Coordinates of all heavy atoms in Angstrom, one line a residue:
M132 N 0.8 -1.2 0.0 CA 0.0 0.0 0.0 C 0.9 1.2 0.0 O 1.8 1.4 0.8 CB -0.9 0.0 1.3 CG -2.1 -0.8 1.1 SD -3.3 -0.1 0.1 CE -4.7 -1.1 0.3
S133 N 0.6 2.1 -0.9 CA 1.4 3.4 -1.0 C 0.8 4.4 -0.1 O 1.5 5.3 0.4 CB 1.5 3.9 -2.4 OG 0.2 4.0 -2.9
I134 N -0.5 4.3 0.2 CA -1.2 5.3 1.1 C -0.8 5.0 2.5 O -0.9 3.9 2.9 CB -2.7 5.3 0.9 CG1 -3.1 5.4 -0.5 CG2 -3.3 6.4 1.7 CD1 -4.5 5.1 -0.8
P135 N -0.3 6.1 3.3 CA 0.0 5.8 4.7 C -1.2 5.3 5.4 O -2.4 5.7 5.1 CB 0.4 7.2 5.2 CG 0.7 8.0 4.0 CD -0.1 7.4 2.8
K136 N -1.0 4.5 6.4 CA -2.2 3.8 7.1 C -3.2 4.8 7.7 O -4.4 4.6 7.6 CB -1.6 2.9 8.2 CG -2.6 1.8 8.4 CD -2.0 0.8 9.4 CE -3.0 -0.4 9.5 NZ -3.2 -0.8 10.9
K137 N -2.7 5.9 8.2 CA -3.6 6.8 8.9 C -4.5 7.5 7.9 O -5.7 7.6 8.2 CB -2.7 7.9 9.6 CG -3.0 7.9 11.1 CD -2.3 9.1 11.8 CE -2.6 9.2 13.2 NZ -1.8 10.1 13.9
K138 N -3.9 7.9 6.8 CA -4.8 8.6 5.8 C -5.8 7.7 5.2 O -7.0 8.0 5.0 CB -3.9 9.1 4.6 CG -3.7 10.6 4.6 CD -3.0 11.0 3.3 CE -2.8 12.5 3.3 NZ -1.9 12.9 2.2
N139 N -5.4 6.4 5.1 CA -6.3 5.4 4.6 C -7.6 5.3 5.5 O -8.7 5.2 5.0 CB -5.6 4.1 4.5 CG -6.2 3.1 3.5 OD1 -7.2 3.5 2.9 ND2 -5.7 2.0 3.4
T140 N -7.3 5.2 6.8 CA -8.4 5.1 7.8 C -9.3 6.3 7.7 O -10.5 6.2 7.7 CB -7.8 5.0 9.2 OG1 -6.8 4.0 9.2 CG2 -8.9 4.6 10.2
L141 N -8.7 7.5 7.6 CA -9.5 8.7 7.5 C -10.4 8.6 6.3 O -11.6 8.9 6.4 CB -8.6 9.9 7.4 CG -9.3 11.3 7.2 CD1 -10.1 11.6 8.5 CD2 -8.4 12.4 6.8
F142 N -9.9 8.2 5.2 CA -10.7 8.1 3.9 C -11.9 7.1 4.1 O -13.0 7.4 3.8 CB -9.8 7.6 2.8 CG -10.6 7.3 1.5 CD1 -11.1 8.4 0.8 CD2 -10.9 6.0 1.1 CE1 -11.8 8.2 -0.4 CE2 -11.7 5.8 0.0 CZ -12.1 6.9 -0.8
I143 N -11.6 6.0 4.8 CA -12.6 5.0 5.0 C -13.7 5.6 5.9 O -14.9 5.4 5.6 CB -12.0 3.7 5.6 CG1 -11.2 3.0 4.5 CG2 -13.1 2.8 6.2 CD1 -10.4 1.8 5.0
N144 N -13.3 6.3 6.9 CA -14.3 6.9 7.8 C -15.1 7.9 7.1 O -16.3 8.0 7.3 CB -13.5 7.6 9.0 CG -13.1 6.6 10.0 OD1 -13.7 5.5 10.1 ND2 -12.1 6.9 10.8
L145 N -14.5 8.7 6.2 CA -15.3 9.7 5.5 C -16.3 9.1 4.6 O -17.4 9.5 4.4 CB -14.3 10.7 4.7 CG -13.6 11.7 5.6 CD1 -12.6 12.5 4.7 CD2 -14.6 12.6 6.2
A146 N -15.8 8.0 3.9 CA -16.7 7.3 3.0 C -17.9 6.7 3.8 O -19.0 6.7 3.3 CB -15.9 6.2 2.3
F147 N -17.6 6.2 4.9 CA -18.6 5.6 5.8 C -19.6 6.7 6.2 O -20.9 6.5 6.0 CB -18.0 5.0 7.0 CG -19.0 4.3 7.9 CD1 -19.7 3.2 7.4 CD2 -19.2 4.7 9.2 CE1 -20.6 2.5 8.2 CE2 -20.1 4.1 10.0 CZ -20.8 3.0 9.5
A148 N -19.1 7.8 6.7 CA -20.0 8.9 7.1 C -20.9 9.4 5.9 O -22.1 9.6 6.0 CB -19.2 10.1 7.6
G149 N -20.2 9.5 4.7 CA -20.9 9.9 3.5 C -22.1 8.9 3.1 O -23.2 9.4 2.8
S150 N -21.8 7.6 3.3 CA -22.8 6.7 2.9 C -24.0 6.7 3.9 O -25.1 6.5 3.5 CB -22.3 5.3 2.7 OG -21.6 4.9 3.9
L151 N -23.7 7.0 5.1 CA -24.8 7.1 6.1 C -25.6 8.3 5.8 O -26.9 8.2 5.9 CB -24.2 7.3 7.6 CG -23.7 6.0 8.2 CD1 -23.3 6.3 9.7 CD2 -24.7 4.9 8.2
I152 N -25.0 9.4 5.5 CA -25.8 10.6 5.1 C -26.7 10.4 3.9 O -27.8 10.7 3.9 CB -24.9 11.8 4.9 CG1 -24.2 12.3 6.2 CG2 -25.6 13.0 4.3 CD1 -23.1 13.2 6.1
A153 N -26.1 9.7 2.9 CA -26.8 9.3 1.7 C -28.1 8.5 2.1 O -29.2 8.7 1.6 CB -26.0 8.6 0.7
L154 N -27.8 7.5 2.9 CA -28.9 6.6 3.3 C -30.0 7.4 4.1 O -31.2 7.2 3.8 CB -28.3 5.5 4.3 CG -29.4 4.5 4.7 CD1 -29.9 3.6 3.6 CD2 -28.7 3.6 5.8
L155 N -29.6 8.3 5.0 CA -30.5 9.1 5.7 C -31.4 9.9 4.8 O -32.6 10.0 4.9 CB -29.8 10.0 6.7 CG -30.7 10.8 7.7 CD1 -31.4 9.8 8.6 CD2 -29.8 11.8 8.4
L156 N -30.8 10.6 3.8 CA -31.5 11.4 2.8 C -32.5 10.5 2.1 O -33.6 10.9 1.8 CB -30.5 12.1 1.9 CG -29.7 13.2 2.5 CD1 -28.7 13.8 1.5 CD2 -30.6 14.3 3.0
F157 N -32.0 9.3 1.7 CA -32.9 8.4 0.9 C -34.1 8.1 1.7 O -35.2 8.1 1.2 CB -32.1 7.2 0.6 CG -32.9 6.1 -0.1 CD1 -33.3 6.2 -1.4 CD2 -33.3 5.0 0.6 CE1 -34.0 5.2 -2.0 CE2 -34.1 4.0 0.0 CZ -34.5 4.1 -1.3
L158 N -33.9 7.8 3.0 CA -35.1 7.4 3.9 C -36.0 8.5 4.1 O -37.2 8.4 4.1 CB -34.6 6.8 5.2 CG -33.9 5.5 5.1 CD1 -33.3 5.1 6.5 CD2 -34.8 4.4 4.7
L159 N -35.5 9.7 4.2 CA -36.3 10.9 4.4 C -37.1 11.2 3.2 O -38.2 11.8 3.3 CB -35.5 12.1 4.8 CG -34.9 12.1 6.2 CD1 -33.9 13.2 6.4 CD2 -36.0 12.1 7.3
K160 N -36.6 10.9 2.1 CA -37.3 11.2 0.8 C -38.4 10.2 0.4 O -39.2 10.4 -0.4 CB -36.3 11.4 -0.3 CG -35.7 12.8 -0.5 CD -34.8 12.9 -1.7 CE -35.6 13.0 -2.9 NZ -34.8 13.2 -4.1
A161 N -38.3 9.0 1.1 CA -39.2 7.9 0.7 C -40.6 8.3 1.0 O -40.9 9.0 2.0 CB -38.8 6.7 1.5
P162 N -41.5 8.0 0.1 CA -42.9 8.3 0.4 C -43.5 7.6 1.6 O -43.0 6.5 1.9 CB -43.6 7.9 -0.9 CG -42.8 6.8 -1.5 CD -41.4 7.2 -1.1
E163 N -44.5 8.3 2.2 CA -45.1 7.6 3.4 C -46.0 6.5 2.9 O -46.4 6.5 1.8 CB -46.0 8.7 4.0 CG -45.4 9.5 5.1 CD -46.4 10.5 5.7 OE1 -47.4 10.0 6.2 OE2 -46.1 11.7 5.6
I164 N -46.2 5.5 3.8 CA -47.1 4.4 3.4 C -48.5 5.0 3.4 O -49.0 5.5 4.4 CB -46.9 3.3 4.5 CG1 -45.5 2.7 4.4 CG2 -48.0 2.2 4.2 CD1 -45.3 1.7 5.5
T165 N -49.2 4.8 2.3 CA -50.6 5.3 2.2 C -51.6 4.2 2.1 O -52.8 4.4 2.1 CB -50.7 6.3 1.1 OG1 -50.2 5.7 -0.1 CG2 -50.0 7.6 1.3
T166 N -51.1 2.9 1.9 CA -52.0 1.8 1.7 C -52.8 1.6 3.0 O -52.2 1.6 4.1 CB -51.2 0.5 1.4 OG1 -50.3 0.7 0.4 CG2 -52.1 -0.6 1.1
P167 N -54.1 1.5 2.9 CA -54.9 1.4 4.1 C -54.5 0.1 4.8 O -54.3 -0.9 4.2 CB -56.3 1.3 3.6 CG -56.3 1.3 2.1 CD -54.9 1.6 1.6
K168 N -54.3 0.2 6.1 CA -54.0 -0.9 7.0 C -55.2 -1.7 7.3 O -56.4 -1.3 7.1 CB -53.4 -0.4 8.3 CG -52.0 0.1 8.1 CD -51.5 0.6 9.4 CE -50.1 1.3 9.2 NZ -49.7 2.0 10.4
L169 N -55.0 -3.0 7.7 CA -56.1 -3.8 8.1 C -56.8 -3.2 9.2 O -56.2 -2.9 10.3 CB -55.5 -5.2 8.5 CG -56.5 -6.3 8.7 CD1 -57.2 -6.7 7.3 CD2 -55.9 -7.5 9.3
P170 N -58.1 -2.9 9.1 CA -58.8 -2.2 10.2 C -58.9 -3.1 11.4 O -59.0 -4.3 11.3 CB -60.2 -2.0 9.6 CG -60.1 -2.3 8.1 CD -59.0 -3.2 8.0
H171 N -58.9 -2.4 12.6 CA -59.2 -3.1 13.8 C -60.7 -3.0 14.1 O -61.2 -2.0 14.6 CB -58.5 -2.4 15.0 CG -57.0 -2.7 15.0 ND1 -56.5 -3.8 15.6 CD2 -56.0 -2.1 14.4 CE1 -55.2 -3.8 15.5 NE2 -54.8 -2.8 14.7
D172 N -61.5 -4.0 13.6 CA -62.9 -3.9 13.9 C -63.4 -5.4 14.0 O -62.6 -6.3 13.8 CB -63.7 -3.1 12.9 CG -63.5 -3.6 11.5 OD1 -63.1 -4.8 11.3 OD2 -63.7 -2.8 10.5
E173 N -64.7 -5.6 14.2 CA -65.3 -6.9 14.3 C -65.0 -7.8 13.1 O -64.7 -9.0 13.3 CB -66.8 -6.8 14.4 CG -67.3 -6.6 15.8 CD -68.8 -6.6 15.9 OE1 -69.5 -7.1 15.0 OE2 -69.3 -6.1 16.9
D174 N -65.0 -7.2 11.9 CA -64.8 -8.0 10.7 C -63.3 -8.5 10.6 O -63.1 -9.5 10.1 CB -65.1 -7.2 9.5 CG -66.6 -7.0 9.3 OD1 -67.4 -7.9 9.7 OD2 -67.0 -6.0 8.7
H175 N -62.4 -7.7 11.1 CA -61.0 -8.0 10.9 C -60.2 -8.5 12.0 O -59.1 -8.9 11.9 CB -60.3 -6.7 10.2 CG -61.0 -6.3 9.0 ND1 -62.0 -5.4 8.9 CD2 -60.8 -6.7 7.7 CE1 -62.4 -5.2 7.7 NE2 -61.7 -5.9 6.9
N176 N -60.7 -8.3 13.2 CA -59.9 -8.6 14.4 C -59.4 -10.1 14.4 O -58.2 -10.3 14.8 CB -60.8 -8.5 15.7 CG -60.8 -7.0 16.1 OD1 -59.9 -6.2 15.7 ND2 -61.7 -6.6 17.0
R177 N -60.1 -11.0 13.9 CA -59.7 -12.4 14.0 C -58.4 -12.6 13.1 O -57.7 -13.6 13.3 CB -60.8 -13.3 13.5 CG -61.3 -13.2 12.1 CD -62.5 -14.1 11.8 NE -63.1 -13.7 10.5 CZ -63.2 -14.6 9.5 NH1 -62.9 -15.9 9.7 NH2 -63.8 -14.3 8.4
F178 N -58.2 -11.7 12.1 CA -57.0 -12.0 11.2 C -55.7 -11.6 11.9 O -54.7 -12.0 11.4 CB -57.2 -11.2 10.0 CG -58.4 -11.6 9.2 CD1 -59.5 -10.7 9.0 CD2 -58.5 -12.9 8.7 CE1 -60.6 -11.1 8.2 CE2 -59.7 -13.3 8.0 CZ -60.7 -12.4 7.8
F179 N -55.8 -10.8 13.0 CA -54.5 -10.4 13.6 C -53.7 -11.5 14.2 O -52.5 -11.4 14.3 CB -54.8 -9.2 14.6 CG -55.1 -7.9 13.9 CD1 -56.4 -7.6 13.5 CD2 -54.1 -7.0 13.6 CE1 -56.7 -6.4 12.8 CE2 -54.3 -5.8 12.9 CZ -55.6 -5.5 12.5
S180 N -54.4 -12.5 14.6 CA -53.7 -13.6 15.3 C -53.5 -14.8 14.4 O -52.9 -15.8 14.8 CB -54.5 -14.1 16.5 OG -55.9 -14.3 16.2
M181 N -53.9 -14.7 13.1 CA -53.8 -15.8 12.2 C -52.4 -15.7 11.5 O -51.8 -14.7 11.4 CB -54.8 -15.7 11.1 CG -56.1 -16.4 11.5 SD -57.2 -16.3 10.0 CE -58.8 -16.5 10.8
K182 N -52.0 -16.9 10.9 CA -50.9 -16.8 10.0 C -51.3 -16.0 8.8 O -52.4 -16.1 8.3 CB -50.5 -18.2 9.6 CG -49.7 -19.0 10.6 CD -49.2 -20.3 10.0 CE -48.3 -21.0 11.0 NZ -48.1 -22.4 10.6
K183 N -50.3 -15.3 8.2 CA -50.6 -14.5 7.1 C -51.3 -15.2 5.9 O -52.2 -14.8 5.3 CB -49.3 -13.9 6.5 CG -49.2 -12.4 6.9 CD -48.0 -11.8 6.1 CE -47.7 -10.5 6.8 NZ -46.5 -9.8 6.1
K184 N -50.8 -16.4 5.7 CA -51.3 -17.2 4.5 C -52.7 -17.6 4.8 O -53.6 -17.6 3.9 CB -50.4 -18.4 4.3 CG -49.4 -18.2 3.2 CD -48.8 -19.6 2.8 CE -48.1 -19.5 1.5 NZ -47.4 -20.7 1.2
T185 N -53.0 -18.1 6.0 CA -54.4 -18.5 6.3 C -55.3 -17.3 6.2 O -56.4 -17.4 5.6 CB -54.4 -19.0 7.8 OG1 -53.3 -19.9 7.9 CG2 -55.7 -19.8 8.0
A186 N -54.9 -16.2 6.8 CA -55.8 -15.0 6.8 C -56.0 -14.5 5.4 O -57.2 -14.2 5.0 CB -55.2 -13.9 7.6
G187 N -55.0 -14.5 4.6 CA -55.1 -13.9 3.2 C -56.1 -14.6 2.4 O -56.7 -14.0 1.5
K188 N -56.3 -15.9 2.6 CA -57.3 -16.6 1.8 C -58.7 -16.2 2.1 O -59.6 -16.5 1.4 CB -57.2 -18.1 2.1 CG -56.0 -18.8 1.3 CD -56.0 -20.3 1.6 CE -54.6 -20.8 1.1 NZ -54.2 -21.9 1.9
L189 N -58.9 -15.7 3.3 CA -60.3 -15.4 3.8 C -60.8 -14.0 3.4 O -62.0 -13.8 3.6 CB -60.4 -15.6 5.3 CG -59.9 -17.0 5.8 CD1 -59.8 -17.1 7.3 CD2 -60.9 -18.1 5.3
C190 N -59.9 -13.2 3.0 CA -60.3 -11.8 2.7 C -61.4 -11.8 1.6 O -62.4 -11.0 1.7 CB -59.1 -11.0 2.1 SG -57.7 -11.1 3.1
V191 N -61.3 -12.7 0.7 CA -62.3 -12.7 -0.4 C -63.7 -13.2 0.0 O -64.6 -13.1 -0.8 CB -61.7 -13.5 -1.6 CG1 -60.6 -12.8 -2.2 CG2 -61.4 -14.9 -1.2
E192 N -63.8 -13.6 1.2 CA -65.2 -13.9 1.7 C -66.0 -12.6 1.6 O -67.2 -12.7 1.3 CB -65.2 -14.3 3.2 CG -64.8 -15.8 3.4 CD -64.7 -16.1 4.9 OE1 -65.2 -15.3 5.7 OE2 -64.2 -17.2 5.2
C193 N -65.4 -11.5 1.8 CA -66.1 -10.2 1.8 C -65.6 -9.3 0.7 O -66.4 -8.6 0.1 CB -66.0 -9.5 3.1 SG -66.6 -10.5 4.5
H194 N -64.3 -9.3 0.4 CA -63.8 -8.4 -0.6 C -63.6 -9.2 -1.9 O -62.8 -10.1 -2.0 CB -62.4 -7.9 -0.2 CG -62.5 -7.1 1.1 ND1 -63.0 -5.8 1.1 CD2 -62.1 -7.4 2.3 CE1 -62.9 -5.4 2.4 NE2 -62.4 -6.3 3.1
T195 N -64.4 -8.8 -2.9 CA -64.2 -9.4 -4.2 C -63.1 -8.8 -4.9 O -62.7 -7.6 -4.6 CB -65.4 -9.3 -5.1 OG1 -65.6 -7.9 -5.4 CG2 -66.7 -9.9 -4.5
T196 N -62.4 -9.5 -5.7 CA -61.3 -8.9 -6.5 C -61.7 -8.9 -8.0 O -60.9 -8.8 -8.8 CB -60.0 -9.7 -6.3 OG1 -60.3 -11.1 -6.5 CG2 -59.4 -9.4 -5.0
E197 N -63.0 -8.9 -8.2 CA -63.5 -8.9 -9.5 C -63.4 -7.6 -10.2 O -63.0 -7.5 -11.3 CB -65.0 -9.4 -9.6 CG -65.2 -10.9 -9.6 CD -66.5 -11.3 -9.1 OE1 -67.5 -10.6 -9.2 OE2 -66.6 -12.5 -8.6
E198 N -63.7 -6.5 -9.5 CA -63.5 -5.2 -10.0 C -62.0 -4.9 -10.0 O -61.5 -4.4 -9.0 CB -64.2 -4.1 -9.2 CG -65.4 -4.6 -8.4 CD -65.0 -5.0 -7.0 OE1 -64.6 -4.1 -6.2 OE2 -65.2 -6.2 -6.7
T199 N -61.3 -5.4 -11.0 CA -59.9 -5.4 -10.9 C -59.4 -4.0 -11.4 O -59.3 -3.7 -12.5 CB -59.3 -6.5 -11.8 OG1 -60.0 -6.5 -13.0 CG2 -59.3 -7.8 -11.1
D200 N -58.9 -3.2 -10.4 CA -58.3 -2.0 -10.7 C -56.8 -2.2 -10.9 O -56.3 -3.4 -10.8 CB -58.5 -1.0 -9.6 CG -58.1 -1.5 -8.2 OD1 -57.0 -1.9 -8.1 OD2 -59.0 -1.6 -7.4
E201 N -56.1 -1.2 -11.2 CA -54.6 -1.4 -11.5 C -53.9 -2.1 -10.4 O -53.1 -3.0 -10.6 CB -54.0 0.0 -11.8 CG -53.8 0.3 -13.2 CD -53.2 -0.8 -14.0 OE1 -52.0 -1.1 -13.8 OE2 -53.8 -1.3 -15.0
I202 N -54.2 -1.7 -9.1 CA -53.5 -2.2 -8.0 C -53.8 -3.7 -7.7 O -53.0 -4.5 -7.4 CB -53.7 -1.4 -6.7 CG1 -53.2 0.0 -6.9 CG2 -53.1 -2.0 -5.5 CD1 -53.8 1.0 -5.9
H203 N -55.1 -4.0 -7.8 CA -55.5 -5.3 -7.4 C -55.6 -6.4 -8.4 O -56.0 -7.5 -8.1 CB -56.9 -5.1 -6.6 CG -56.7 -4.4 -5.4 ND1 -56.9 -3.1 -5.3 CD2 -56.4 -4.8 -4.1 CE1 -56.7 -2.7 -4.0 NE2 -56.4 -3.7 -3.3
K204 N -55.3 -6.0 -9.7 CA -55.5 -7.0 -10.7 C -54.6 -8.2 -10.5 O -54.9 -9.3 -11.0 CB -55.3 -6.4 -12.1 CG -53.9 -6.0 -12.5 CD -54.0 -5.5 -14.0 CE -52.7 -5.4 -14.6 NZ -51.8 -4.4 -14.0
D205 N -53.5 -8.0 -9.9 CA -52.6 -9.2 -9.6 C -52.8 -9.8 -8.2 O -52.3 -10.8 -7.9 CB -51.1 -8.7 -9.7 CG -50.7 -8.3 -11.1 OD1 -51.3 -8.9 -12.0 OD2 -49.9 -7.4 -11.2
A206 N -53.7 -9.2 -7.5 CA -53.9 -9.7 -6.1 C -55.2 -10.6 -6.2 O -56.3 -10.2 -5.8 CB -54.2 -8.5 -5.1
T207 N -55.0 -11.8 -6.6 CA -56.1 -12.8 -6.6 C -56.1 -13.5 -5.3 O -55.2 -13.5 -4.5 CB -55.8 -13.8 -7.8 OG1 -54.7 -14.5 -7.4 CG2 -55.6 -13.1 -9.1
P208 N -57.3 -14.2 -5.0 CA -57.3 -15.0 -3.8 C -56.2 -16.0 -3.8 O -55.8 -16.4 -2.7 CB -58.7 -15.7 -4.0 CG -59.5 -14.9 -4.9 CD -58.5 -14.2 -5.8
N209 N -55.7 -16.5 -4.9 CA -54.7 -17.5 -4.9 C -53.3 -17.0 -4.5 O -52.5 -17.7 -4.0 CB -54.6 -18.1 -6.3 CG -55.9 -18.7 -6.7 OD1 -56.6 -19.2 -5.9 ND2 -56.2 -18.6 -8.0
T210 N -53.1 -15.7 -4.7 CA -51.8 -15.2 -4.3 C -51.7 -14.9 -2.8 O -50.6 -14.9 -2.3 CB -51.4 -13.9 -5.1 OG1 -52.4 -12.9 -4.8 CG2 -51.4 -14.2 -6.6
N211 N -52.8 -14.7 -2.2 CA -52.8 -14.5 -0.7 C -51.9 -13.4 -0.3 O -51.3 -13.4 0.8 CB -52.4 -15.8 0.0 CG -53.2 -16.9 -0.3 OD1 -54.4 -16.8 -0.5 ND2 -52.7 -18.1 -0.4
R212 N -51.8 -12.4 -1.1 CA -50.8 -11.3 -0.8 C -51.5 -10.1 -0.2 O -50.8 -9.1 0.0 CB -50.1 -10.9 -2.1 CG -49.3 -12.0 -2.7 CD -48.3 -12.6 -1.7 NE -47.1 -11.8 -1.4 CZ -46.1 -11.7 -2.2 NH1 -46.1 -12.3 -3.4 NH2 -45.1 -10.9 -1.9
C213 N -52.8 -10.2 0.1 CA -53.5 -9.0 0.7 C -52.7 -8.4 1.8 O -52.5 -7.1 1.9 CB -54.9 -9.4 1.2 SG -55.8 -10.4 0.0
L214 N -52.2 -9.2 2.7 CA -51.6 -8.7 3.9 C -50.1 -8.2 3.7 O -49.5 -7.7 4.6 CB -51.7 -9.7 5.0 CG -53.1 -10.0 5.5 CD1 -53.1 -11.2 6.4 CD2 -53.7 -8.8 6.2
F215 N -49.6 -8.5 2.5 CA -48.3 -8.0 2.2 C -48.4 -6.5 2.1 O -47.5 -5.8 2.5 CB -47.9 -8.7 0.9 CG -46.5 -8.3 0.4 CD1 -45.4 -8.8 1.1 CD2 -46.3 -7.4 -0.6 CE1 -44.1 -8.4 0.6 CE2 -45.1 -7.0 -1.0 CZ -44.0 -7.5 -0.4
C216 N -49.5 -6.0 1.5 CA -49.6 -4.6 1.3 C -50.5 -4.0 2.5 O -50.1 -2.9 2.9 CB -50.3 -4.3 0.0 SG -49.3 -4.7 -1.4
H217 N -51.5 -4.6 2.8 CA -52.4 -4.1 3.9 C -51.9 -4.6 5.2 O -52.2 -5.7 5.6 CB -53.9 -4.5 3.6 CG -54.4 -4.0 2.3 ND1 -54.7 -2.7 2.2 CD2 -54.6 -4.6 1.1 CE1 -55.1 -2.5 0.9 NE2 -55.1 -3.7 0.3
R218 N -51.1 -3.8 5.8 CA -50.3 -4.3 7.0 C -51.2 -4.4 8.2 O -52.1 -3.7 8.4 CB -49.1 -3.4 7.2 CG -48.3 -3.4 5.9 CD -47.1 -2.6 6.1 NE -46.2 -3.1 7.2 CZ -45.0 -2.7 7.4 NH1 -44.5 -1.7 6.6 NH2 -44.3 -3.1 8.4
R219 N -50.8 -5.3 9.1 CA -51.5 -5.5 10.4 C -50.7 -4.8 11.5 O -49.8 -5.5 12.1 CB -51.6 -7.0 10.7 CG -52.4 -7.7 9.6 CD -52.5 -9.2 10.1 NE -51.3 -9.9 10.0 CZ -51.2 -11.2 10.2 NH1 -52.3 -11.9 10.6 NH2 -50.0 -11.8 10.2
D220 N -50.9 -3.6 11.7 CA -50.3 -3.0 12.9 C -51.1 -1.7 13.4 O -52.1 -1.5 12.8 CB -48.8 -2.7 12.8 CG -48.5 -1.9 11.5 OD1 -49.3 -1.1 11.0 OD2 -47.4 -2.1 11.0
Ligands
HEC374 C1 -66.5 -10.4 7.3 C2 -66.2 -9.6 6.2 C3 -64.8 -9.1 5.9 C4 -63.7 -9.9 5.8 C5 -63.6 -11.4 5.9 C6 -62.6 -9.0 5.5 N1 -63.1 -7.7 5.4 FE1 -62.0 -6.0 5.0 N2 -63.6 -4.9 5.2 C7 -64.9 -5.3 5.4 C8 -65.8 -4.2 5.4 C9 -67.4 -4.3 5.7 C10 -65.0 -3.1 5.2 C11 -65.5 -1.6 5.1 C12 -65.7 -1.0 6.5 C13 -64.4 -0.6 7.1 O1 -63.7 0.2 6.5 O2 -64.1 -1.1 8.2 C14 -63.7 -3.5 5.0 C15 -62.6 -2.7 4.8 C16 -61.3 -3.1 4.5 C17 -60.2 -2.2 4.2 C18 -60.2 -0.7 4.0 C19 -59.9 -0.1 5.3 C20 -59.7 1.4 5.0 O3 -59.1 2.1 5.9 O4 -60.2 1.9 4.0 C21 -59.1 -3.0 4.0 C22 -57.7 -2.6 3.7 C23 -59.5 -4.4 4.3 N3 -60.9 -4.4 4.6 C24 -58.7 -5.5 4.1 C25 -59.1 -6.8 4.4 C26 -58.1 -7.9 4.3 C27 -56.7 -7.8 4.0 C28 -58.9 -9.0 4.7 C29 -58.3 -10.4 4.8 C30 -57.3 -10.6 5.9 C31 -60.2 -8.6 4.9 N4 -60.3 -7.2 4.8 C32 -61.3 -9.4 5.3 C33 -65.3 -6.7 5.6 C34 -64.4 -7.8 5.6
HEC375 C1 -49.7 -4.5 -4.3 C2 -50.3 -4.1 -3.1 C3 -51.7 -4.5 -2.7 C4 -52.2 -5.8 -2.7 C5 -51.4 -7.1 -2.9 C6 -53.6 -5.7 -2.3 N1 -53.9 -4.3 -2.1 FE1 -55.7 -3.6 -1.5 N2 -55.0 -1.7 -1.8 C7 -53.7 -1.3 -2.1 C8 -53.6 0.1 -2.2 C9 -52.4 0.9 -2.5 C10 -54.9 0.6 -1.9 C11 -55.4 2.1 -1.8 C12 -56.0 2.4 -3.2 C13 -56.5 3.7 -3.2 O1 -56.6 4.4 -2.2 O2 -56.9 4.1 -4.4 C14 -55.8 -0.5 -1.6 C15 -57.1 -0.5 -1.2 C16 -57.8 -1.6 -0.7 C17 -59.1 -1.5 -0.1 C18 -59.9 -0.3 0.3 C19 -60.6 0.3 -0.9 C20 -61.2 1.6 -0.5 O3 -62.1 2.0 -1.2 O4 -60.9 2.2 0.5 C21 -59.5 -2.8 0.2 C22 -60.8 -3.3 0.8 C23 -58.5 -3.7 -0.3 N3 -57.5 -2.9 -0.9 C24 -58.5 -5.0 -0.2 C25 -57.6 -5.9 -0.7 C26 -57.7 -7.4 -0.7 C27 -58.9 -8.1 -0.1 C28 -56.5 -7.8 -1.2 C29 -56.1 -9.3 -1.5 C30 -57.0 -10.0 -2.4 C31 -55.7 -6.7 -1.5 N4 -56.4 -5.5 -1.2 C32 -54.4 -6.8 -2.1 C33 -52.7 -2.2 -2.4 C34 -52.8 -3.6 -2.4

């Protein structure tokens, strides 16, 4: 290595600090989650304690996915992905 050890460490530290700042800016710029969460009500309470896969199959008891808009056209009962987007918290 031609670079003296001390300088090398300084460079690494600066690069590390720089990447942290970049990451922070990225996170601050990320859009907020706007997808409606699973509601806490009589209809939905039972799903909070279920396994995601089990719960996901039951959504279509009440929610049809026939009116397929842009977002839901890939969200079929078979994919069970409802809770991937509609978070439970
Ligand atoms: C027993 C019937 C029933 C089942 C089963 C059901 N829902 Fe619902 N859901 C409703 C009704 C009725 C509404 C509208 C009233 C409301 O907003 O609470 C609703 C509303 C919603 C909303 C909109 C909430 C909002 O803030 O706009 C989401 C998201 C949702 N359900 C997701 C799910 C998911 C995911 C599942 C499966 C895990 C599921 N539902 C299963 C009856 C049901
Ligand atoms: C790829 C992510 C994604 C998946 C998967 C998904 N949704 Fe959604 N869903 C959304 C988004 C985003 C909205 C908000 C749409 C809007 O406000 O126009 C929404 C809105 C809803 C609403 C509320 C509609 C309203 O008028 O407020 C219901 C109910 C719902 N989804 C049910 C389901 C069910 C049931 C499934 C599984 C079959 C499902 N979603 C799968 C992203 C998803």
